Amino acid sequence: MQYDPSNAIVAGDDPVALLERVADRVVSMHASDRYLVPGASLEDLRQSDGTLGYSPSLRHASREGLNDYTHLPHPGATRYAGWISIEDGMNGMEEMAQSLEFLRQMVATHFKG
């Protein structure tokens, strides 16, 4: 499966708990995150039927959103060697460069040896 912590949040799941349950099946990962526009809350994302989903109050970010990448269980613990893709850059290449630098820091921290 492809693991995307951002979609876990949008689906109403705990991204850490979800990754722990599926880590042995992950073949690719998104370095994806979402942040709320000022004044919005996760509760604001609830649809009339109680589900969560995409909202104009939710924006992409790979480094400063609702996921705490420093506390996500690192896939290195399961010897993960697949792709990690960045899903960002909606606001230009500078944003993409910042996300790439952040991802490099996380890989250096979580994939030691």
Side-chain angles (χ1 to χ4, degrees):
M1 72 167 288
Q2 177 168 292
Y3 176 74
D4 186 329
S6 172
N7 284 341
I9 286 177
V10 171
D13 292 323
D14 176 327
V16 173
L18 179 60
L19 181 56
E20 288 172 345
R21 287 193 315 265
V22 300
D24 61 331
R25 292 177 276 177
V26 173
V27 296
S28 68
M29 296 181 70
H30 270 179
S32 177
D33 206 350
R34 309 265 178 164
Y35 68 92
L36 294 165
V37 297
S41 71
L42 283 175
E43 190 57 35
D44 294 337
L45 300 180
R46 294 216 177 269
Q47 308 295 315
S48 60
D49 64 358
T51 62
L52 299 178
Y54 292 102
S55 162
S57 297
L58 203 55
R59 300 291 196 309
H60 265 104
S62 290
R63 67 204 168 283
E64 52 193 37
L66 298 168
N67 282 304
D68 183 354
Y69 279 94
T70 61
H71 291 99
L72 279 173
H74 58 86
T78 61
R79 302 188 192 280
Y80 178 76
W83 287 91
I84 300 174
S85 62
I86 297 173
E87 188 174 9
D88 201 354
M90 300 296 290
N91 298 308
M93 292 308 289
E94 178 61 28
E95 180 180 74
M96 180 67 83
Q98 292 169 352
S99 293
L100 178 58
E101 179 57 32
F102 175 78
L103 180 58
R104 285 179 173 151
Q105 291 171 6
M106 291 296 101
V107 168
T109 299
H110 295 296
F111 291 87
K112 297 177 182 176

